[in-house]
Amino acid sequence: MKQLAVSSPIQALGRELVQNLFVSLRSAQLYESSNATLRAAAGRLGRTIEELVRIDSVARLETGGDTLMVNDHRIRSELRTHSIHTNLMRFLRTLGVGGFEWVAVPDVAQTSRFVAAVARIDQSGEEENFDLVVRRLAKAGVDDVRVLPPREETTEEPLDDPDARARAERTYRHSVAVTQQLLESVRSGRSLQRHRVRRVVQSIVDQILEDEILLLGLTNLRDYSEPTFTHCVNVAIFSIALGQKIGLSRLDLYDLGMAALLHDIGKTDVPTEVLNKPGVLSDEEWRWMRSHTWRGTRRIIADRQPGTLPSRELLVAFEHHLHVDLTGYPHLLAPRQQTFFSKIVEIADAFDAGTTPRIYKTEPITPADMIQVLYDGRGVRYDPILVKAFISLLGIYPVGCVCVLDTFELVVVVAVDPDPANIHRPRVKIVADHEGNRIAGPIVSLAEKDSQGEYPRTVVAVVEPERYGIDVAGIFLGP
Amino acid sequence: MTTGVVQSARVQTASELVNELVRAFKVRRLYDAGHPQRRESEETIGARIAALLDQSGAIEFTIEGDRLLVDGEPVYDQAEGRDSLAFLMYREGLRQLSLYPGLAGEEVGVFLDEVAAAALAHGEEEFDLVARLWERNFVHIRYAFVEQLMDEEWTPAAAEETLVLGRDQNAVVLLDEDKSAADFLREVDSTLYFLDDEDMAALQRELESEKERTLIHETMTCLREVLLVPELDDPAPLLAAIGDIHTSFLEEGSYGDVVTLHEVFAPYLASERAGNVARSAFSELFERALEEEVLQRLAARVDAASVPDDVAAGYYRAFGGPRLASLLRGCGDLKRLCQRPPIAAAFVDVAREDAETLRAAMVDEDPAVACPAVYLAGMLADPMLLEPLGEALQSPDAQVRREALVAVKQIGGPRTLDMVARAIEDADPTVRLYALRHIVLHRYAPALPRVTALLDREVEQSLTERRLLYEAYGALGGEGSLDELGKRLRRRGGVFRKTDPEELACVLIGIGAVGTPKARALVEEATTSRHPLIQRTAHDVLATWDSPRARR
C-alpha cells in the first residue's frame, strides 16, 4: 500500500500518552504510591505505553521545539489540552530532560514507581537535574525507562523530505484544481458538490496536522490567471493552520476549512468582467464586489443538503469582511458579534489578499508588512488573540518571506523558530550568497549564535520576491 | 462464505480475520446494541481479531468489487451485492483497508456501524462512508479511497508553467535601500506575540460558548440581513430554504430553534421590505408550528422528557399567544402537560394575555378546544370568567361540563356554589356526583330544594349518587330533615325488614350528615339491625362522629 498522508495510530496514542503521563505525575505529587488514584492513573499510562510498544516497538515521549513528540510524531495540543501540554513541557524542561523512552511494557507497580520518582524530584539541589533524574530512577528500581537528554535542535525540515514535499504539493495543486472545477460549475448554475469540497478540506486538514509548513509555503505558489481559486485554497490553509495553532480539534478544523474554502463562493455570482477587471473599480462595480458576502450566504443556503444547516459556512461567507468593531461590510441593519470562525477566516483572508498580486491591485504588500497591518489592526479590525496566534504561527517574517540579511545574503523564510522568543529569527533558506550568486543554499536558523554568543545573521530588510526574481514557491515544491 | 486459495500463513490469518469481521457485521445487523447475544459475540470476535492481528502484524486488504485481497490472494469473495462487506466498502469508494495490532472490538464495532450506516444512506452525499470514517479518526484502522489513490498518480499539466514564474538566473544585485539596517520590525517586542494560558482559555470559552448556542440565532439573523438587502431580487429561494430549516427543526424536535427562527424574523416581517410573499410564507410556517400533528409530537416528546420543560414552555408561549385556539385544539392532554410547572405557567400566561380568545375558546363548539380552554380558566381562577364558564356548563359535551364544574370550583365564591347546585341536575352522572360532593362540602343550603326533588325523582341513580343525595339532604336540611329521614329509615320494608338495605344505608349516611344528638339516637337504634350492611354503616357513622377529626 502506498504511504498515505493520513493520521496513524501513533497520533492518537501519543495524545493519550501525554495526557496519561501528565495525570500520573500530578497524582504522584498529590498521593502516596499506594494510593488508588495514582495506581489507576499509572495503570492507564502503562496501557498506553504497552500499545505503543506493541505497534512501534517503543514508546518515546520527548520535547521537540514547541511541541511534544511521541515516537517522532508531533503531538498537537488542543484547546482543552493546551495547559496539559505546556505544563508537561515546562516540567520536562525544569527537570532538564528531553523525555523518556520505554522499550518494554511496565506493569502498574513499575509505572507507579517511575511517576513517583520523577514527580517528587527536588529540583532545588546543586546537582545537574538530568543526572539526578537518572539516579533517582535507578534508586527506585526503574530500569526499563531510558531518560532522554534534551533534544538537540536540528535544522532538519520537512523541506528536506522530498516525499513530504511531493505529498504537500499534490494536496495543494489538487485542492486548487478541484476548487476551480467546483466554483466554475457553481458559476454555470450547477449545485455545489459538497462531497468534493469535503475531500479537499479533509486532505488539507490531514496535511496540516502532519506538518503545516509545506502547505503554508505553497501558498506562495500564485496562479495569476486564476487568483480566486488559489485564494480560496490559501485562505483554507491559513485558517486551518491557525485553527491548529490554537488547538482546535480535528473536526473543528474540518468545519473551519469548509467554511474557509467556501468563504468567497458568492463571487461566483459576481460578473467575471467585474471580478477580473484590471484597474480601479467603479462604485457600481465595488457594490457588486461587496455583494459577494450576502450572495455567498444565499448560495450556501440554497445549495445545502436537505436536512442540514451549514451555519459555520454561511456565517463565514457573510461575516468575513466584517471587523470585530463591526465596520467593514456588508452593512448591518442590526448589530451582531462576528463569530469565531469568521474572525479566523477574516485574518487568513486579509493576509492572503494583501500579499497576493491582484488584477486591480498593482503592488502586493510583503508578508512581513501584512503581518504588521494585522498587528496594527488588532482589537479594532481583527481579534487580538487570533492575531497573536497568527503571528506565532507565521512569525514576524512569515513563511515565504524574502529577506535581506546583514550578511547581504538573500533568504526565503521556511519556518518560524520553535522558541517564541525567537519569533523574529526564523529558519531560512539561503537563495543568494553575499556576492549575489544564486545558490540552493542550506537552511539555517537565524536564532543560532556563533562562538562569541553573537547572531551571525540578522534580517535587515524584507523585499518583494519579484524584485530579485526569486521563485519562493519553488522551494516548497516536490522534486 | 470466504473462498480462495490460501497460499501463506499471512493470507490464512487474513482470511480468518475477514471471517471474524463478517461475523461481527452480521451480528450487528441481527441484534440491537445491548442484546446479550450481540455482547457475547462481540467480545469473542473482538478477542479473536486482536489475537489474529497480534500474531500477524498489520494486514492490508485490497478491495476489489465483492472481493478482499491480501498480497494478491482473495481472502473474501461474496457475491451477495448489498450484503457483501467488500461490496459495501467498494461502492463507497474504499479501495484499501489496513488493520493494525491493537484493534479492539469497540473500534471494529464503530467501523462496521459506519459501513452499515453508509450503506443505508447510500447516495446521500452528506453521509458517505469516506466522510464518516474520516470523522471517526480510527486509531487502528486506515484506509485509502479512490480519489486519494487517483491523486497519488496525478500531476497537473499546468504545474511547470507556474514553476517558471519569477525564475531568474541572473546574479542578485542588492539595492542600497535593501542593504540599509534594521527596519521597524526588529524593534518589536516578541513577547507581545506569546500566546499564554489566559489567551487559550479565552479562545476556548468563546468556542465552547458558540457550540452551546449552536449558532442558530446568528444564522437566522444572518439570513434576515440577506433578506433585507435592497438588491436581493428574489427572496423566494431563501424563504423556501428557511421553510425547510423550519421543517427540519420540527422533525428533529429542536423547538427552541423554531421559536428563535420566528422571533428573529418578526422585525423583518414588520418592515416594509417584507412583501406579501414573505409574509404569507412565514404565516404558513406559523400555522405549521401549530398543526395538531406537530403539537402532539411535542407533547409526546415532553412526556418522554426528550424536550426540556422550559423549551416546550417557550414554544407554547411563542405560538399560543397569537393562536390560542389552535394551540388548545392540538396540544393534546393539557392536564398532563400542566403537571409540569413551567408549561403550566406558560399556558396560564398565554391565556391571561388573551382573555378574549380564551372566553371564545371556552364556548367553542369543538370540545377539543373548549375542554382545555375551560381547564385553563380554572387554572387562571379569574372570577371574570364565570360567565363563559356558566355557558360551558350548558355545553352539550359532558366532558366540557365536567371541566367547567372543576374550573368553577377552583374559582370559588358564593356565585359559583349556585352554578354548582344547578349542576346536580346535569344529565351526566359524573357531573352530578362532582356537584353533589361540592354542595355537601360547602353545606350550601339553597341547593336543598333541588336535592329534595332529586331524592324523589324516579330516575336511574347509582348507589353513590343516592348516598350523596342523602348526605346532601341531611347536611343541608339539618335537624329539619330528620323527620323525613327517620320516616324513610323506618318505612315499611325498612330497617327491621330485609328490603333494600342499600337505600337504608344511604339514609343512615344522610342522618349522619345531620350530626345532632337526635340524629345520633336514630343511628344508634340502627346498630341493632340484623342486617349486616345497615349495622356496619350505623357503626361507621358513629365511628366517624367519635373520631377526633369529627370532634374538632
Side-chain angles (χ1 to χ4, degrees):
Chain A
M1 182 187 281
K2 287 168 185 162
Q3 182 61 37
L4 300 170
V6 295
S7 64
S8 73
I10 307 294
Q11 295 275 359
L13 289 170
R15 281 193 292 273
E16 258 182 57
L17 184 66
V18 170
Q19 169 102 7
N20 290 337
L21 178 60
F22 179 76
V23 172
S24 301
L25 290 169
R26 284 300 296 253
S27 302
Q29 284 168 342
L30 295 169
Y31 307 113
E32 290 297 316
S33 300
S34 57
N35 180 277
T37 308
L38 173 56
R39 290 182 69 80
R44 285 193 295 274
L45 175 62
R47 280 192 293 278
T48 309
I49 293 169
E50 181 182 359
E51 188 136 354
L52 274 165
V53 170
R54 187 162 57 168
I55 289 177
D56 219 17
S57 310
V58 67
R60 183 174 54 249
L61 181 140
E62 58 192 324
T63 54
D66 61 345
T67 57
L68 286 165
M69 315 275 289
V70 169
N71 290 14
D72 296 325
H73 287 67
R74 295 166 74 182
I75 306 301
R76 311 277 183 180
S77 67
E78 294 190 355
L79 266 177
R80 60 190 168 79
T81 56
H82 180 259
S83 65
I84 289 179
H85 276 241
T86 49
N87 283 316
L88 188 56
M89 283 174 64
R90 201 174 296 147
F91 179 75
L92 292 174
R93 283 204 186 104
T94 316
L95 281 185
V97 303
F100 301 100
E101 183 180 273
W102 294 262
V103 285
V105 177
D107 60 22
V108 175
Q110 286 169 317
T111 313
S112 298
R113 282 203 306 277
F114 161 72
V115 290
V118 173
R120 295 172 196 159
I121 284 174
D122 176 10
Q123 292 143 14
S124 58
E126 295 294 309
E127 195 172 7
E128 274 290 317
N129 279 338
F130 179 82
D131 297 336
L132 181 64
V133 175
V134 173
R135 276 199 309 103
R136 285 292 169 86
L137 285 177
K139 192 177 167 192
V142 181
D143 48 12
D144 52 356
V145 181
R146 197 161 75 86
V147 183
L148 304 173
R151 194 175 165 125
E152 287 292 320
E153 295 299 339
T154 64
T155 52
E156 196 179 304
E157 300 292 342
L159 272 176
D160 297 330
D161 179 354
D163 285 343
R165 275 160 52 199
R167 273 203 304 278
E169 185 188 349
R170 228 174 4 243
T171 302
Y172 185 81
R173 289 190 184 280
H174 181 66
S175 301
V176 173
V178 171
T179 304
Q180 177 168 3
Q181 286 169 18
L182 291 173
L183 295 187
E184 282 176 348
S185 152
V186 168
R187 180 179 282 283
S188 66
R190 294 196 196 92
S191 294
L192 179 68
Q193 291 175 281
R194 299 183 65 83
H195 71 286
R196 297 193 68 197
V197 184
R198 189 183 302 117
R199 297 278 190 278
V200 166
V201 172
Q202 288 172 349
S203 66
I204 295 175
V205 170
D206 285 335
Q207 181 69 47
I208 284 178
L209 288 175
E210 189 183 336
D211 196 297
E212 74 277 11
I213 288 299
L214 288 169
L215 274 190
L216 287 174
L218 285 169
T219 59
N220 292 283
L221 189 63
R222 312 294 187 188
D223 187 341
Y224 297 99
S225 61
E226 297 295 350
T228 306
F229 312 121
T230 48
H231 173 67
C232 289
V233 172
N234 289 354
V235 171
I237 289 170
F238 285 125
S239 299
I240 294 170
L242 175 54
Q244 178 262 141
K245 181 75 191 173
I246 61 171
L248 294 189
S249 70
R250 187 166 172 267
L251 289 181
D252 283 337
L253 290 180
Y254 162 71
D255 284 341
L256 173 61
M258 287 291 286
L261 197 75
L262 297 175
H263 79 286
D264 266 349
I265 193 171
K267 286 188 177 168
T268 57
D269 290 330
V270 175
T272 43
E273 55 271 27
V274 175
L275 275 182
N276 299 330
K277 181 183 173 183
V280 181
L281 298 180
S282 68
D283 286 351
E284 176 60 20
E285 286 161 345
W286 265 119
R287 254 198 298 281
W288 265 107
M289 280 300 278
R290 286 184 171 148
S291 73
H292 81 273
T293 51
W294 64 263
R295 288 180 197 280
T297 304
R298 186 179 62 171
R299 173 67 70 178
I300 288 168
I301 198 82
D303 281 355
R304 80 197 194 291
Q305 287 288 117
T308 63
L309 180 58
S311 289
R312 293 284 190 193
E313 292 163 23
L314 65 89
L315 285 167
V316 166
F318 186 74
E319 296 176 338
H320 71 274
H321 282 287
L322 281 178
H323 305 311
V324 289
D325 64 354
L326 295 187
T327 57
Y329 63 91
H331 171 68
L332 295 177
L333 295 164
R336 62 187 296 119
Q337 268 198 321
Q338 204 183 8
T339 48
F340 191 59
F341 282 10
S342 299
K343 292 178 190 172
I344 293 177
V345 174
E346 186 198 6
I347 290 172
D349 181 45
F351 182 80
D352 189 67
T355 53
T356 306
R358 294 288 179 96
I359 291 162
Y360 52 86
K361 188 176 66 181
T362 49
E363 292 259 331
I365 307 171
T366 67
D369 287 347
M370 196 57 220
I371 286 287
Q372 188 66 39
V373 169
L374 292 176
Y375 186 75
D376 292 343
R378 71 196 190 282
V380 182
R381 293 167 72 101
Y382 311 110
D383 182 277
I385 301 176
L386 290 174
V387 167
K388 259 198 216 183
F390 195 67
I391 297 174
S392 52
L393 168 75
L394 292 183
I396 293 173
Y397 307 112
V399 174
C401 213
V402 179
C403 302
V404 177
L405 304 185
D406 55 0
T407 54
F408 300 142
E409 290 163 311
L410 202 60
V411 297
V412 174
V413 176
V414 295
V416 66
D417 192 88
D419 183 351
N422 290 327
I423 200 155
H424 57 310
R425 294 196 166 275
R427 293 177 183 210
V428 298
K429 185 173 177 69
I430 300 173
V431 293
D433 64 18
H434 66 283
E435 289 175 339
N437 300 313
R438 291 176 190 275
I439 57 168
I443 292 172
V444 295
S445 168
L446 300 189
E448 273 173 18
K449 292 180 180 172
D450 59 20
S451 53
Q452 276 84 47
E454 299 292 327
Y455 292 112
R457 292 184 173 95
T458 298
V459 174
V460 293
V462 177
V463 296
E464 287 127 30
E466 291 77 16
R467 177 177 289 193
Y468 297 109
I470 305 298
D471 170 21
V472 174
I475 291 171
F476 298 92
L477 290 174
Chain B
M1 190 175 68
T2 305
T3 60
V5 184
V6 177
Q7 291 183 339
S8 68
R10 185 176 159 72
V11 171
Q12 173 68 47
T13 307
S15 177
E16 287 174 34
L17 191 60
V18 170
N19 278 335
E20 296 300 334
L21 281 177
V22 172
R23 268 182 60 208
F25 193 52
K26 283 184 178 161
V27 165
R28 295 184 90 78
R29 284 185 150 189
L30 281 174
Y31 304 107
D32 289 333
H35 191 286
Q37 180 76 36
R38 174 164 158 176
R39 255 203 321 268
E40 195 186 323
S41 297
E42 280 176 351
E43 278 169 21
T44 319
I45 294 168
R48 183 90 184 110
I49 288 173
L52 285 167
L53 283 168
D54 273 349
Q55 175 193 325
S56 67
I59 292 195
E60 299 159 3
F61 297 95
T62 303
I63 306 165
E64 262 187 21
D66 283 329
R67 301 195 306 168
L68 293 177
L69 309 172
V70 169
D71 299 340
E73 297 293 334
V75 292
Y76 174 83
D77 187 352
Q78 189 186 41
E80 290 176 20
R82 51 187 289 277
D83 288 330
S84 157
L85 186 59
F87 177 72
L88 291 178
M89 293 191 285
Y90 186 83
R91 186 174 64 168
E92 292 285 324
L94 252 61
R95 295 294 180 266
Q96 289 170 339
L97 177 72
S98 301
L99 306 180
Y100 286 79
L103 180 64
E106 195 183 339
E107 205 172 348
V108 170
V110 173
F111 173 76
L112 295 175
D113 280 348
E114 293 298 359
V115 173
L120 277 178
H122 182 65
E124 295 175 37
E125 282 186 358
E126 202 68 26
F127 304 107
D128 69 342
L129 182 59
V130 175
R132 287 168 181 276
L133 298 183
W134 189 88
E135 289 192 2
R136 288 294 185 180
N137 199 17
F138 292 106
V139 173
H140 303 98
I141 300 174
R142 294 173 76 183
Y143 53 89
F145 50 94
V146 66
E147 292 123 309
Q148 203 175 13
L149 293 170
M150 281 162 64
D151 284 356
E152 299 281 310
E153 313 294 337
W154 187 73
T155 313
E160 276 308 308
E161 187 186 327
T162 321
L163 267 173
V164 297
L165 278 172
R167 192 161 277 181
D168 186 347
Q169 291 309 312
N170 297 328
V172 172
V173 182
L174 289 179
L175 303 175
D176 286 344
E177 64 189 81
D178 292 336
K179 290 180 178 176
S180 59
D183 61 10
F184 67 98
L185 289 165
R186 291 181 67 193
E187 295 161 16
V188 173
D189 176 1
S190 59
T191 58
L192 292 175
Y193 306 119
F194 287 180
L195 271 179
D196 56 26
D197 284 354
E198 206 176 300
D199 292 332
M200 296 303 271
L203 293 176
Q204 187 175 9
R205 273 197 304 275
E206 190 172 349
L207 185 64
E208 294 299 325
S209 152
E210 278 193 4
K211 282 186 176 172
E212 268 175 34
R213 297 201 310 269
T214 64
L215 295 178
I216 294 300
H217 187 268
E218 287 84 347
T219 306
M220 293 302 140
T221 52
C222 171
L223 295 179
R224 185 183 64 193
E225 291 279 353
V226 176
L227 277 172
L228 286 163
V229 168
E231 298 105 298
L232 182 72
D233 41 7
D234 179 14
L238 268 181
L239 293 170
I242 292 167
D244 287 347
I245 293 166
H246 189 270
T247 304
S248 300
F249 286 165
L250 285 177
E251 281 171 3
E252 290 162 11
S254 307
Y255 297 100
D257 295 339
V258 179
V259 173
T260 302
L261 187 149
H262 283 274
E263 281 173 356
V264 164
F265 287 100
Y268 162 68
L269 294 170
S271 74
E272 287 176 7
R273 179 85 187 109
N276 289 336
V277 175
R279 291 203 181 90
S280 151
F282 274 93
S283 173
E284 272 177 36
L285 296 185
F286 206 98
E287 293 298 338
R288 171 88 181 108
L290 283 165
E291 277 177 11
E292 198 168 333
E293 181 200 343
V294 170
L295 292 172
Q296 296 280 356
R297 201 181 307 144
L298 167 59
R301 281 169 169 158
V302 168
D303 228 17
S306 60
V307 173
D309 290 354
D310 56 340
V311 171
Y315 189 88
Y316 292 130
R317 269 201 179 89
F319 296 103
R323 304 269 211 295
L324 180 60
S326 303
L327 174 64
L328 293 176
R329 183 176 285 113
C331 71
D333 189 343
L334 182 63
K335 279 189 199 172
R336 197 177 170 86
L337 283 171
C338 287
Q339 283 170 1
R340 296 161 186 273
I343 295 179
F347 272 96
V348 165
D349 290 347
V350 164
R352 187 170 287 136
E353 279 167 24
D354 191 5
E356 274 314 302
T357 305
L358 180 65
R359 282 163 182 270
M362 286 161 70
V363 294
D364 197 289
E365 283 179 2
D366 183 356
V369 177
C371 258
V374 166
Y375 174 75
L376 262 184
M379 287 176 69
L380 279 173
D382 181 356
M384 301 291 284
L385 295 171
L386 280 176
E387 191 187 324
L389 278 175
E391 281 182 57
L393 281 168
Q394 307 303 315
S395 165
D397 187 84
Q399 180 65 29
V400 174
R401 298 200 302 278
R402 277 197 291 272
E403 290 297 349
L405 201 58
V406 175
V408 163
K409 182 198 146 195
Q410 280 172 312
I411 291 172
R415 262 184 78 196
T416 62
L417 284 171
D418 193 49
M419 292 167 80
V420 175
R422 282 200 291 273
I424 66 173
E425 292 164 345
D426 196 282
D428 181 71
T430 320
V431 175
R432 295 198 302 270
L433 290 180
Y434 190 86
L436 275 169
R437 283 198 187 96
H438 199 62
I439 291 300
V440 171
L441 185 69
H442 290 274
R443 295 188 171 253
Y444 183 58
L448 185 59
R450 289 177 193 277
V451 172
T452 310
L454 279 170
L455 269 176
D456 294 331
R457 194 176 288 174
E458 292 291 327
V459 289
E460 193 180 330
Q461 290 166 337
S462 68
L463 188 61
T464 309
E465 189 173 359
R466 292 296 292 169
R467 181 180 68 75
L468 280 168
L469 276 169
Y470 276 112
E471 195 176 349
Y473 185 70
L476 307 183
E479 194 86 32
S481 64
L482 271 184
D483 283 350
E484 177 59 26
L485 288 169
K487 260 189 243 169
R488 290 190 183 221
L489 191 64
R490 296 195 182 89
R491 189 181 286 170
R492 182 185 159 75
V495 70
F496 300 110
R497 305 272 177 93
K498 289 185 178 172
T499 52
D500 204 1
E502 287 171 339
E503 174 81 5
L504 294 181
C506 292
V507 174
L508 268 175
I509 288 166
I511 296 169
V514 175
T516 61
K518 196 174 166 187
R520 186 179 182 103
L522 278 172
V523 177
E524 281 172 349
E525 185 187 329
T527 57
T528 61
S529 167
R530 277 174 294 172
H531 195 286
L533 175 64
I534 297 167
Q535 201 184 82
R536 195 171 61 243
T537 308
H539 280 297
D540 285 349
V541 170
L542 290 173
T544 309
W545 271 342
D546 294 338
S547 70
R549 193 177 160 193
R551 278 203 296 275
R552 271 206 305 277

